[in-house]
Amino acid sequence: MTSIRTLAPASVWGFFDTICSIPHPSGHEAELRRWITLWANDLGLVVQQDEIGNLLIKKPASPGMENRKGVVLQAHLDMVPQANAGTQHDFTRDPIRPRIDGDWVCATGTTLGADNGIGMAACLAVLADNTLTHGPLEVLLTVDEESGMTGAFNLQPGWLEGEILLNTDSEQDGDVYMGCAGGVDANITLPYQAEPVPPGLVALQLNIKGLRGGHSGINIHEGRASANKLLAELLHAFSRFEQVRLSTLAGGTLRNAIAREASAVLVLPEQDQPELYALLAQYQQQYCSEFQGVDDFIQLELLPCALPGRIMNRPLQQQLVRALLACPHGALAMSRTMADVTQTSSNLGVIETRDDHIHVQCLIRSLDNTGRDRVAAMTTAVFELAGATVMLDGAYPGWQPNPDSPIMKLVLDTHKDVFGELPAVKVIHAGLECGLLGHVYPHWDMVSFGPTIQGAHSPDERVSISAVERFWQLLVRVLEQTPERVS
């Protein structure tokens, strides 16, 4: 038990503390799902699990509310596992240890899992509290949202009975969301073509670290540095030294997180080292100026290391570096109809050197399928020119805004009644599950809202304590006022 259980609302923070104590990164939600199932069974609630691992918990309407429209409260079970370099944490075994820092709850050196653990905790708190007033309730907890939306992709029609979906995966207090981006993964493979290391060379490891990273949907328009793009730029600059050769490179760990760290192992003649160090110092100065106020702690370093057993042949090295340099990344188009909303983006999220190939993964997002498919074609063309194989996987639709949504109007009116002001109505560039869920249940009236979470998908993740209390107040009042069923 941690001190966050003393915060208000106690039920939400108590459930969140328990969620933090049970490891649940993407693909490893089984233990958390088992705990929730046992807990719900003890309350006498109806619990069901589908073949893919999604969890559905049903709670009857409170007395006098049986004729209200059924509400589906929705969150995802998994969290993004990210840790700072030097932080020893096994996300499949070690609990997250939340701590209070002023108005914020955060972790130490790792992601917190408030995305979407706070929303999940609120759903469980509603199920646990028999003093609340609400119509028929269903809580849908999906699996593997962060790494592929597997649960939403495999949700079956006819399983749920509700008519209204309240998604809890938004991250800004005072904002209510009525639409989101769709996306597709670009999985790229280049065969590793090796040759032996020539005699008389030394090895250096290039490290890029200290970057903020962040959510590849929410933060992509902010101009934060990508360690993978900086790596490509530096390797391209080093190519002026003809005898500098590349052995391995790596950067980022998740397709939906802006890469915070990257590295490469280089071999070169010892006499070239001073010029390489001098060039790196120039780029260090350049990046400090370029990203001032956005990424203030970028660190570039070259450190001696052991000679590797192989290097890439020159054609592969040249093609790979050029492709990474040309790969689309960042906010590529802004919406023409909604101010300050990213229309289309791409995130060069992962670079890995494996035994027989180099693996690259990008996540392309867009509010429309046209933009998504255009950038996917651009990315494919760039890497196919380099001799790579590109597979486009997991395409999912966006959630198209419905300005006439009755549940949106109810949330807006309730927000004004409770807090004295209307919230901002927005479309989010992140890939909420609403697009996929609405494809399976097209009759659902959907809205998304949640508390303020900053730094999602990075070890800087934190959630506002006061915003959680406001989120809970709004959620409870909306449930009290859901409309009656149409006969």
Side-chain angles (χ1 to χ4, degrees), residues 17-58:
D17 192 40
T18 299
I19 290 166
C20 288
S21 72
I22 304 171
H24 57 285
S26 301
H28 299 272
E29 306 99 328
E31 184 60 26
L32 178 57
R33 184 173 53 234
R34 186 187 72 83
W35 181 86
I36 293 172
T37 299
L38 292 173
W39 168 82
N41 283 333
D42 287 343
L43 289 183
L45 300 174
V46 175
V47 184
Q48 300 173 8
Q49 181 178 319
D50 66 10
E51 292 183 359
I52 204 68
N54 296 319
L55 206 58
L56 177 61
I57 309 169
K58 299 184 179 184

Side-chain angles (χ1 to χ4, degrees), residues 253-323:
T253 57
L254 294 169
R255 85 214 198 294
N256 56 357
I258 301 169
R260 298 178 295 109
E261 297 171 348
S263 63
V265 174
L266 309 170
V267 298
L268 65 156
E270 187 172 3
Q271 61 267 25
D272 285 345
Q273 287 187 92
E275 288 186 81
L276 211 61
Y277 279 105
L279 183 59
L280 191 72
Q282 292 178 23
Y283 273 93
Q284 175 74 69
Q285 185 175 12
Q286 174 186 315
Y287 293 150
C288 286
S289 174
E290 180 180 354
F291 295 103
Q292 185 176 9
V294 179
D295 258 303
D296 289 321
F297 302 102
I298 297 174
Q299 299 177 49
L300 310 180
E301 62 183 16
L302 281 167
L303 301 175
C305 63
L307 273 172
R310 61 178 183 171
I311 56 174
M312 298 178 192
N313 69 20
R314 194 175 297 279
L316 171 61
Q317 177 176 326
Q318 292 174 337
Q319 290 164 355
L320 173 61
V321 170
R322 290 169 181 169

Side-chain angles (χ1 to χ4, degrees), residues 157 397-398 433-444 446:
E433 292 167 288
C434 296
L436 283 168
L437 300 177
H439 182 73
V440 180
Y441 291 87
H443 67 284
W444 276 354
M446 302 187 293

Side-chain angles (χ1 to χ4, degrees), residues 229-246:
K229 291 300 287 185
L230 299 190
L231 178 66
E233 188 170 58
L234 289 169
L235 293 176
H236 186 260
F238 290 169
S239 66
R240 75 177 65 173
F241 303 97
E242 187 174 347
Q243 295 189 69
V244 173
R245 303 296 299 278
L246 179 60

